[in-house]
Amino acid sequence: MYEGAVQDLIDELGRLPGVGPKSAQRIAFHLLSAESADVTRLVAALTRVQESVRFCVTCYNVAEAEQCRICRDPRRVDDVLCVVEEPKDVVAIERTREFRGRYHVLGGAISPIDGVGPDDLRVKELMTRLMNGAVTELIIATDPNLEGEATAAYLARLVGPMGLAVSRLASGLPVGGDLEYADEVTLGRAFEGRRRIDA
Ligand SMILES: [Zn+2]
């Protein structure tokens, strides 16, 4: 189609989620005609992400230090823990300003079809965190779809014997949807109206 470098760029862009061949081509040609300083900034941002971003050793959110910004914040409360699937869900919940506790990022959801079981997620790490007894309330904020519900039910059963207050985000969230696409008001309300799960 195109020669060497241009086609390589289109191929790489096309591998990104949500970028089809047409978009890949459009982005590639945008970059070709962009100011050289803009392209340099983009390259630098990619390099920095690759070199300096890692997962928080405590909650598995993305972090630039050993611990993420939220785990390092002494103003957050330690007795409420919110379990989410991905770091992007942390960002979505932070936007609501409803939550002052800590997070635990599972790294996905249980999905038998995709071959993802509890052992593929950071469930063991969650149990270890709960063992020390500091957490008294667990909020399960997995996505309101099949996999998210299955994960919530599994976790509720698992932590049942620990005597924690366990809640799930209230309805109002679009069923079958993704937490990150919910607007702040809806997600904030779902948070306030979370309901207790009796395991
Ligand atoms: Zn953290």
Side-chain angles (χ1 to χ4, degrees), residues 156-157 160 166 195-199:
R157 246 193 338 268
V166 181
R195 58 196 155 75
R196 180 103 182 237
I197 299 176
D198 294 308

Side-chain angles (χ1 to χ4, degrees), residues 54-56 59-63 68 70 82-95 102-111 114 116 120-122 139-145 147-148 151 155 177-181 187:
R54 45 190 159 155
F55 292 106
C56 171
C59 75
Y60 303 94
N61 188 10
V62 285
C68 73
I70 295 167
C82 180
V83 179
V84 295
E85 293 180 19
E86 306 285 353
K88 61 187 165 57
D89 301 323
V90 173
V91 176
I93 293 170
E94 284 299 289
R95 269 204 311 260
R102 311 275 182 186
Y103 291 94
H104 188 86
V105 182
L106 291 171
I110 295 173
S111 172
D114 302 315
V116 181
D120 302 307
L121 307 172
R122 289 167 198 128
I139 300 169
I140 304 176
T142 47
D143 285 340
N145 55 27
E147 294 80 16
T151 308
L155 290 177
D178 238 341
L179 213 60
E180 62 168 320
Y181 298 128
L187 187 54

Side-chain angles (χ1 to χ4, degrees), residues 69-141:
R69 194 173 43 78
I70 295 167
C71 287
R72 289 200 313 265
D73 187 348
R75 291 163 304 179
R76 313 274 310 203
V77 297
D78 288 317
D79 54 347
V80 192
L81 192 66
C82 180
V83 179
V84 295
E85 293 180 19
E86 306 285 353
K88 61 187 165 57
D89 301 323
V90 173
V91 176
I93 293 170
E94 284 299 289
R95 269 204 311 260
T96 70
R97 299 171 183 275
E98 284 287 338
F99 183 62
R100 298 300 305 154
R102 311 275 182 186
Y103 291 94
H104 188 86
V105 182
L106 291 171
I110 295 173
S111 172
I113 290 176
D114 302 315
V116 181
D119 291 344
D120 302 307
L121 307 172
R122 289 167 198 128
V123 172
K124 230 183 286 132
E125 292 83 348
L126 170 66
M127 295 309 282
T128 307
R129 285 183 79 182
L130 295 176
M131 285 308 177
N132 75 15
V135 176
T136 56
E137 184 184 356
L138 190 70
I139 300 169
I140 304 176

